[in-house]
Amino acid sequence: MSNDRIDAVSGVEDGTGWSPERMMARLGGDEALTHQLVALFLTECPRMMADVRASVAQGSADVVRRAAHAFKGSVSNFTDRGAVVTALELEHMGREDRLADAPATLARLEQDVAVLMSRLLEYEAGK
């Protein structure tokens, strides 16, 4: 396949590190809880990403650190790769007060989140 994106039904990895089967296994097979967490994330993610964007635009290292940390905590319910790794990078940039590459890292985070959100929306739609 020419890109890393793979159909959610096939179960083949797409780079997000998320699959409904893995998440349900971590939740003791609780499909209802999986759906609740996915729905909550789909609702809250745009607000949290807006906070991360605003923090980078503001240019305050501590604000970037806090926003990236909060987002990382939320997205880590679904994966330990992709968006989590990129959010951790942004958090470290804030902690170390080195924001020169923060806009580029934010752009990568936006891409990672878009792929994950697509997968979660597919899951919610029953695909």
Side-chain angles (χ1 to χ4, degrees), residues 69-122:
H69 178 78
F71 183 77
K72 179 193 73 184
S74 181
V75 78
S76 69
N77 288 310
F78 301 91
T79 183
D80 60 358
R81 293 188 290 189
V84 170
V85 173
T86 309
L88 179 61
E89 259 184 78
L90 206 51
E91 180 182 352
H92 283 279
M93 288 177 177
R95 181 175 295 120
E96 296 164 5
D97 196 13
R98 53 175 186 81
L99 299 180
D101 293 330
T105 304
L106 174 61
R108 276 198 347 260
L109 181 61
E110 298 267 11
Q111 292 172 344
D112 294 342
V113 169
V115 174
L116 179 60
M117 292 287 283
S118 174
R119 288 288 309 280
L120 296 176
L121 287 166
E122 288 173 1

Side-chain angles (χ1 to χ4, degrees), residues 8 17-38 77-79 119-120 123-124 126-127:
W18 185 81
S19 80
E21 296 80 17
R22 264 188 291 225
M23 186 166 185
M24 276 188 267
R26 283 193 352 246
L27 296 172
D30 192 332
E31 188 172 1
L33 181 55
T34 300
H35 279 285
Q36 287 175 338
L37 290 174
V38 168
N77 288 310
F78 301 91
T79 183
R119 288 288 309 280
L120 296 176
Y123 171 71
E124 280 300 288
K127 293 185 178 176

Side-chain angles (χ1 to χ4, degrees), residues 33-63:
L33 181 55
T34 300
H35 279 285
Q36 287 175 338
L37 290 174
V38 168
L40 180 62
F41 185 78
L42 288 171
T43 299
E44 291 298 315
C45 182
R47 181 194 54 77
M48 291 186 302
M49 281 303 298
D51 290 347
V52 174
R53 277 185 222 101
S55 74
V56 171
Q58 181 181 345
S60 167
D62 191 54
V63 175

